[in-house]
Amino acid sequence: MRLTILFFLLCLYQLKGQDVVLNNAMRPLNNIGLNIGEGSAIALIYERIKDLDGKSFLAGKIGIGYNEEFKICVFGSCSSAKQFTIIPTSVSANLGNSKNYLELGLGHIYVSGKTNRPSVFYILGGYRFQPIDRNKFNFRVYFSIPFSGYDNLELLFLPIGFSVGLCF
């Protein structure tokens, strides 16, 4: 009888340990959302997350976006602005607690269209809210600075960006 009770207690203990593992595995590993910044006026992005230790994770992002040539016309009429298709990619490390993270990373945009700079690399950093549960909204507020500076960029590259999306 004692062995039977001990066996059931051990089974319950093991089930509890498995629940903890399952709860960690439930953290959403995918994000899809809209991004304003990082070289695009607006972009649709997909992001994949790799959890490292529960307090930090890596995030890889790819997207497709839109931007226009940056022009300021003071006197007379301007020619129409060139339009660009943007493909933003980035990899970032995120450090923090269960939902709030400091994000630091590197990014790259490919600019499709007639431009003198079809490829731009940049650093990024900022704040990320990443929920623990699936089907919840996440958001990021960040800065991004091109390695080559803002000179010679035909497109509007905003130094501050915002991203909002859904975790699944």
Side-chain angles (χ1 to χ4, degrees):
M1 181 70 169
R2 284 185 179 177
L3 287 176
T4 306
I5 293 173
L6 184 59
F7 175 75
F8 282 115
L9 287 175
L10 285 174
C11 287
L12 287 174
Y13 178 76
Q14 290 298 325
L15 289 175
K16 183 178 178 185
Q18 288 175 356
D19 286 345
V20 171
V21 172
L22 288 174
N23 283 341
N24 269 345
M26 300 277 289
R27 181 179 202 79
L29 300 177
N30 301 290
N31 295 329
I32 191 162
L34 292 176
N35 191 44
I36 297 172
E38 292 181 86
S40 61
I42 190 159
L44 179 64
I45 59 165
Y46 168 76
E47 190 171 47
R48 178 75 176 174
I49 291 174
K50 171 70 174 146
D51 192 26
L52 297 177
D53 61 3
K55 292 187 177 185
S56 61
F57 61 86
L58 295 176
K61 179 186 73 176
I62 189 165
I64 187 161
Y66 168 82
N67 205 339
E68 286 187 351
E69 182 179 21
F70 182 64
K71 287 186 170 187
I72 298 176
C73 300
V74 179
F75 299 106
S77 62
C78 282
S79 61
S80 61
K82 291 189 260 182
Q83 298 177 347
F84 304 108
T85 299
I86 307 294
I87 299 175
T89 58
S90 68
V91 175
S92 63
N94 296 268
L95 310 167
N97 64 19
S98 63
K99 295 180 183 179
N100 303 296
Y101 294 91
L102 170 67
E103 180 174 35
L104 299 169
L106 297 171
H108 172 261
I109 59 169
Y110 172 73
V111 182
S112 175
K114 292 184 179 180
T115 178
N116 59 358
R117 303 266 315 270
S119 181
V120 179
F121 288 90
Y122 58 91
I123 60 170
L124 65 95
Y127 168 77
R128 173 192 288 259
F129 175 80
Q130 184 72 29
I132 298 172
D133 300 323
R134 295 178 195 277
N135 298 324
K136 302 279 184 175
F137 286 100
N138 69 331
F139 69 89
R140 300 169 44 228
V141 177
Y142 57 89
F143 68 88
S144 55
I145 302 170
F147 284 121
S148 58
Y150 295 100
D151 297 339
N152 236 1
L153 281 177
E154 293 173 292
L155 56 94
L156 179 62
F157 197 104
L158 300 173
I160 302 294
F162 179 77
S163 176
V164 63
L166 183 68
C167 304
F168 61 98

